[in-house]
Structures are given as C-alpha cells and as structure tokens.
Amino acid sequence: MRKFINDPSLVVDEMLEAFLIAHSDLVSATDNERVIKYKKAPIEGKVGIVTGGGSGHKPAFVGYLGRNMVDAVACGELFSSPPAQMFYDAAKAANGGKGIAILYGNYAGDNMNVSMAMEELRDEGLEVKTVVANDDVPSAPKGEESRRRGVAGEILMWKVGGAKAAMGGSLDEVIAAAQKAIDNTRSMGVGLSPCTIPEVGHPNFTIAEGKMEIGIGHHGEPGINVVDLEPAAKVAQRMCDVIIPDLPFTSGDEVAVLISGLGSTPVIELYILFNDVQRILKEKGIKIHISYVGNYFTSLEMAGATLTLMKLDEELKTCIDFECDSVGITQFQRT
Amino acid sequence: MEKFTNKAGSAIVDQLILAIQENKQYLSDIDGLIGDGDHGINMNKGFTLCRAELDKNPGNLSSSMNILAKILMMKIGGSMGPLYGKFFKAIAVALEEEEEIGIKEMGAALKAAVDAIASISSAKVGDKTLLDTLIPALTAYEKAQAEGKSFTEALEAMKFAAIEGCDSTLDMVAKVGRASRLGERSRGVPDAGATSCRIILETVADKTKELLNN
C-alpha cells in the first residue's frame, strides 16, 4: 500500500474533518459527525435533497453538496452503507418543511438502511420519498432494471433533482424529475486495476496484467467479461455498444455525456475516451447537449472509467443547465 | 414443562454481548479472507454500544433484545446492521407479552426472526450467507418440537444444525454480497455472517439451557 494516510481506521473521519475546513464556504457540520450539509441547509420552503452511501467515491457524495444541488449527505465507512441513523439525521438536516427527497444508489445495504430511516421519519409525520438510481447496465440484463446498481448516473439524478427543488418544485415534482432523470440514464464501467481499502491492506480482487474488466462495478463487482487491453477507440465502442441499444438512444436524441475516471486514471485518457465516444455518437446522429469529463465518481485508486449517457427532454435540459455550485460541479447559467 | 422467565432471560443478551466481543478478531479475520474484513469490528461496535445502554436501562429478555435491535439498526451500517437488527427486533416483539418462555414461545420467536430477515433479503440457502446457518437451525428446532422433544433437546438440535449449516458455507461459492466478486475463489472459507450467526445461535442455546437447569 502506498497511501497518504495516518491511521487506516480514521481515513473517513480525517477526510471529512478536512473537507469541512477546506470548503467552509460551501458546507458545514451537523450534530452527527458523519452527516455533512450544504451551509445554507435547511432552506425554508424548499424540498430537501438528501443522499449518502459508503465513502471512497470522491467527489461523491459530499462533493455534490451545494447551491441548487444536494442539501445533506450521510457518509458511511469506505464502501459500506451508512447506518439508518445517518440517513435519518441527514434528512432532518435537509428538512425545510416542504418534504425530503432521498436520491441514492441501488445497493442492498443502502436500501435497507434508507427504508428503516424512512420508517422513523414517517412516524414523526415528515414527508419523505426516494428515487433509487439503477443506471449500471452490465449489473443486470434488460427487463431486470430494478436489480441494476447505481453508479455515476447518480450525479445527473442529483443535478436534476437539486435544480427542480431550487426552482420551487413540490416533493412530487422533484421525485418525478429525478426518477425521469435516472430512467433516461445508462452507464457502464471498464476497470484496469483494483483498489485497496486501507483497513484491509490488500486489494480484495485482481485484474491480471495486460487485461481489463468490462462492466466492472463501483466497488469491484464483477463485470461482463475480462479481455485483453485494447485501444481507447475499441473500449469506447464496447461501452457504446452496451449503453446505446439498452435505452435505446437513437438518431435525433440529445444527450448529456459524463465520463468519470475511477480514481487513478489520468484525465488525459478520459478525454481520449471522450473523443472516441463523441465520434460514435455523431455517427449515430445523437447530439451532445452537455459534456462532463473528469473525476466525478471514483472508486478509491481503481484505474478505469465509466461512461454515462442521459437522454434529455426540455425539462431535463432545463434542470441540467440550471446554475449550481458544489465541489464536484459548478455551472453558470447557459445563455 | 421446561420454561424460563422473560426477566431471567436478559442473561441471554448479556452472554451474546460477551460472545461477540470475544470473537471480534476471529470474525474480522474470516471476513478479511473474502470480504471487507470489518465484520467483527462492526458487530463488536454494535454489541458493545448495547452493553453501555443496558447498563443504563436493564430489563428482561424482550426489552434487552429491543435495545440491541435498535442499536444495530440505527448505528451499524452496511447490510449486517439492518439484518441482525430486524432479527432481534422480531424476537423482542414475539416475546414482549410472555412472562414465561417455553419451547413454543421460543420457536415462534425464532420463526418470526427468520421471517423478518427474509422480508428484507433476497438471499436463499446455498448463497453462502447467514441464512445457511439460520434456516437449518430453525428447521431442526421445529422438527424436534413437532416430534414432542423437550425444550433442551430442541435447543441442542438447533445448535448442532447451526454448526453444520455454518460449516456447509465452507464449500460454497458466494452468490450475493461483496464476496460474490471472487466467484470460485470464495470456496474454502466460511462465510463471516454465517459464522456470527452460528455464534449467536450457539450462545442462545447454551445460555437458555443453563437457565432451564437453574
């Protein structure tokens, strides 16, 4: 292990402590040390946007706290779902009296912990609803979309939900927009090398030298197959061949493209991938409305990338273009 | 008729806490072979928090199980917090009204606990999870009960089925959870959840038998 750490058991705590100081203009602490909120949350009369999950995906999840984005985040241990108490406290921290939308990814632990937090919140008379992201195409076949995991597409779901809430949307409107966002989003990952949880001390899976894993999950969940390394153009083709027919995305569609590194892949390579992806989309007559290329949703130091496409309609376009300010994404109103 | 009081039964929870604390390192070591390596750490954290809470609010078996359940559900994340939380909550609810607990009451509580886990998990026997310990243990208990065996005999049957069930995970390939990433390589190591479940059921059986003898 070659890591900048002090104590393997304090990785998350030290990171959060630092995050709060480094970004004190945007975020602040709550009574629960594992719940971080947007500095101005709760915002009276606005639907509260909550998310959370295991740590190790920087800038997700705390990096999307901010103006017109997420209001409160529950931060679990590395790759481990936060307990119900954290989701509960995050919902309370985001509650501006207009209802709370918990927008999170489809993982067994998160599903159980969110559902228990919701029972408590509803017992107190709070209005809480969820959208569960399931954009990772290789994690389950078509027709079994509800079994698919949530990956980088979650960012676009938060962007849309956060914008809708900021525009004054009701809880039902925010939930409907976030659900529409994820329903129109498809992702896929390719892994080149594994990652190590500091407390474990060794990678809990391997990818052989000269190989890459097609369809790998955000915690190293198994992909579709392991193949020899290929040029970026072929990798981009593989990703598009899985994602495009699944929705399907067709000629004339307008899309948001998100290419995120998984941690240790240089951004320069992400742009090379993007170049091949945009060429394939152009050939198919699919128009790119907006692009995000960078480290948006990582998996510790895993090498690799995810490609996410979101099909846009007028409502989604308005939400995606909406101004926002967060560590992960800052956007000015497009003119 | 063999019975023990709900009041005396709080000793079962005391013993469960000790058993988990003693096995903290063992559970983490097993988990580290094919999982995250944090199972013992997380279980110990939950049961130790429960100890502190019980010292402030001592009670009977059902109220103690209720406190344990609440802590596991609200404070311990991942999947094990909610799974064991639901498990102990169901036992607490099933025994709430009982002043005395015999073979029938304990059987109903165990059945409710297994149903509660099934309600939030899609895992099946053979998937290399805690259900591989739990389901055979309940089946053995219910079989002994149906055959008119004593409470002690039913607990013995449950304990041995739990040990066998846990051992059976050694030769299984993980189908759910993080260990499923390893496929064939998960064979040859017992499942950490099945092991903690075996420790829990063994402890419940042994402590209950001790209460019945007193």
Side-chain angles (χ1 to χ4, degrees):
Chain A
M1 265 204 307
R2 289 184 231 180
K3 287 176 184 287
F4 293 124
I5 56 172
N6 295 309
D7 178 340
S9 65
L10 293 178
V11 167
V12 177
D13 298 291
E14 288 188 19
M15 177 273 294
L16 288 178
E17 191 187 332
F19 192 88
L20 283 164
I21 298 166
H23 306 296
S24 58
D25 55 330
L26 260 179
V27 299
S28 61
T30 68
D31 290 340
N32 186 328
E33 59 189 12
R34 287 301 186 89
V35 174
I36 311 287
K37 70 175 187 76
Y38 170 42
K39 200 173 180 178
K40 293 185 177 162
I43 298 165
E44 200 59 35
K46 184 185 89 74
V47 172
I49 305 289
V50 172
T51 190
S55 297
H57 301 296
K58 289 282 122 355
F61 296 80
V62 285
Y64 297 101
L65 286 165
R67 187 168 66 92
N68 302 342
M69 286 289 281
V70 176
D71 292 299
V73 167
C75 309
E77 291 297 331
L78 289 171
F79 291 180
S80 180
S81 172
Q85 181 79 52
M86 283 182 208
F87 280 111
Y88 171 89
D89 288 341
K92 296 282 254 196
N95 180 25
K98 205 178 174 182
I100 300 144
I102 306 182
L103 313 178
Y104 70 101
N106 189 23
Y107 294 90
D110 293 316
N111 285 330
M112 289 190 269
N113 289 307
V114 167
S115 100
M116 286 192 297
M118 294 212 354
E119 277 177 36
E120 296 281 326
L121 292 161
R122 283 177 174 159
D123 282 352
E124 292 178 25
L126 291 174
E127 219 192 333
V128 201
K129 293 187 175 176
T130 63
V131 176
V132 186
N134 59 335
D135 51 309
D136 187 26
V137 177
S139 56
K142 188 144 187 78
E144 295 177 43
E145 283 87 350
S146 66
R147 283 181 47 227
R148 288 178 177 172
R149 295 182 294 259
V151 286
E154 289 180 44
I155 296 163
L156 302 179
M157 169 180 74
W158 300 324
K159 177 81 189 71
V160 168
K164 200 75 187 176
M167 291 173 199
S170 67
L171 179 59
D172 283 339
E173 285 165 346
V174 169
I175 289 290
Q179 186 68 56
K180 189 205 262 182
I182 207 67
D183 285 347
N184 282 285
T185 300
R186 296 292 185 275
S187 299
M188 171 168 171
V190 171
L192 303 176
S193 72
C195 56
T196 296
I197 293 172
E199 255 187 310
V200 179
H202 57 84
N204 65 346
F205 68 99
T206 51
I207 301 171
E209 192 63 38
K211 302 279 183 186
M212 60 182 182
E213 182 149 342
I214 309 297
I216 199 165
H218 260 174
H219 314 88
E221 293 93 336
I224 309 167
N225 53 3
V226 177
V227 301
D228 290 339
L229 290 172
E230 292 170 346
K234 278 197 152 182
V235 177
Q237 189 67 53
R238 277 182 188 275
M239 289 168 138
C240 288
D241 284 351
V242 170
I243 290 176
I244 290 174
D246 192 81
L247 192 62
F249 296 86
T250 54
S251 180
D253 284 349
E254 284 190 84
V255 295
V257 181
L258 163 63
I259 292 190
S260 176
L262 287 176
S264 63
T265 290
V267 175
I268 195 168
E269 294 173 29
L270 303 178
Y271 277 101
I272 292 173
L273 264 183
F274 175 79
N275 202 25
D276 291 311
V277 167
Q278 67 82 23
R279 182 182 41 79
I280 294 165
L281 294 177
K282 201 171 183 182
E283 281 164 14
K284 292 193 178 289
I286 299 166
K287 186 177 166 245
I288 297 176
H289 174 73
I290 188 169
S291 305
Y292 303 91
V293 182
N295 288 314
Y296 286 94
F297 204 126
T298 62
S299 301
L300 294 170
E301 78 278 37
M302 208 190 290
T306 54
L307 167 64
T308 301
L309 296 183
M310 177 194 229
K311 182 174 161 175
L312 299 170
D313 64 3
E314 283 311 312
E315 183 189 24
L316 292 177
K317 224 190 273 184
T318 308
C319 291
I320 284 289
D321 290 346
F322 204 67
E323 259 189 35
C324 72
D325 191 5
S326 68
V327 171
I329 295 181
T330 294
Q331 259 175 239
F332 299 100
Q333 192 65 44
R334 294 179 139 205
T335 47
Chain B
M1 259 322 224
E2 292 179 301
K3 288 198 173 220
F4 66 95
T5 63
N6 202 333
K7 190 160 177 288
S10 64
I12 297 172
V13 180
D14 296 336
Q15 194 62 38
L16 280 173
I17 294 166
L18 286 174
I20 293 298
Q21 287 172 334
E22 278 165 17
N23 285 287
K24 173 190 166 188
Q25 194 56 44
Y26 175 61
L27 289 173
S28 280
D29 288 347
I30 293 177
D31 192 34
L33 294 172
I34 56 170
D36 293 353
D38 61 0
H39 187 47
I41 297 167
N42 288 337
M43 291 290 279
N44 181 63
K45 187 174 151 200
F47 280 71
T48 301
L49 283 171
C50 177
R51 178 72 274 155
E53 197 58 37
L54 287 177
D55 290 342
K56 280 184 267 169
N57 295 298
N60 58 19
L61 174 60
S62 48
S63 73
S64 301
M65 288 255 180
N66 202 25
I67 286 172
L68 177 59
K70 191 115 188 154
I71 287 170
L72 292 175
M73 280 197 261
M74 295 307 278
K75 308 268 185 212
I76 304 301
S79 300
M80 294 320 259
L83 286 168
Y84 277 130
K86 287 269 178 189
F87 179 83
F88 289 115
K89 178 80 185 175
I91 295 179
V93 170
L95 297 178
E96 214 164 28
E97 307 287 321
E98 310 293 345
E99 260 183 49
E100 290 194 316
I101 296 153
I103 186 167
K104 183 168 142 270
E105 292 77 17
M106 184 64 102
L110 289 169
K111 174 78 169 59
V114 173
D115 289 348
I117 285 193
S119 75
I120 53 166
S121 167
S122 59
K124 306 253 174 316
V125 170
D127 287 350
K128 199 172 177 120
T129 70
L130 65 97
L131 287 177
D132 290 305
T133 300
L134 201 49
I135 303 279
L138 175 67
T139 306
Y141 182 99
E142 287 177 335
K143 182 165 173 281
Q145 194 183 353
E147 287 169 356
K149 301 267 175 66
S150 71
F151 194 1
T152 300
E153 286 168 322
L155 289 166
E156 277 292 312
M158 174 182 86
K159 177 177 158 178
F160 286 110
I163 295 169
E164 265 184 28
C166 178
D167 288 348
S168 76
T169 64
L170 201 72
D171 198 39
M172 287 177 190
V173 173
K175 302 266 172 51
V176 296
R178 213 49 62 72
S180 65
R181 178 64 181 77
L182 296 170
E184 270 300 319
R185 275 177 296 149
S186 63
R187 208 185 283 281
V189 178
D191 177 62
T195 306
S196 60
C197 187
R198 189 259 294 158
I199 291 167
I200 286 167
L201 292 178
E202 260 191 284
T203 305
V204 168
D206 288 344
K207 195 69 196 178
T208 305
K209 282 190 290 178
E210 203 182 301
L211 291 174
L212 294 174
N213 284 331
N214 287 344

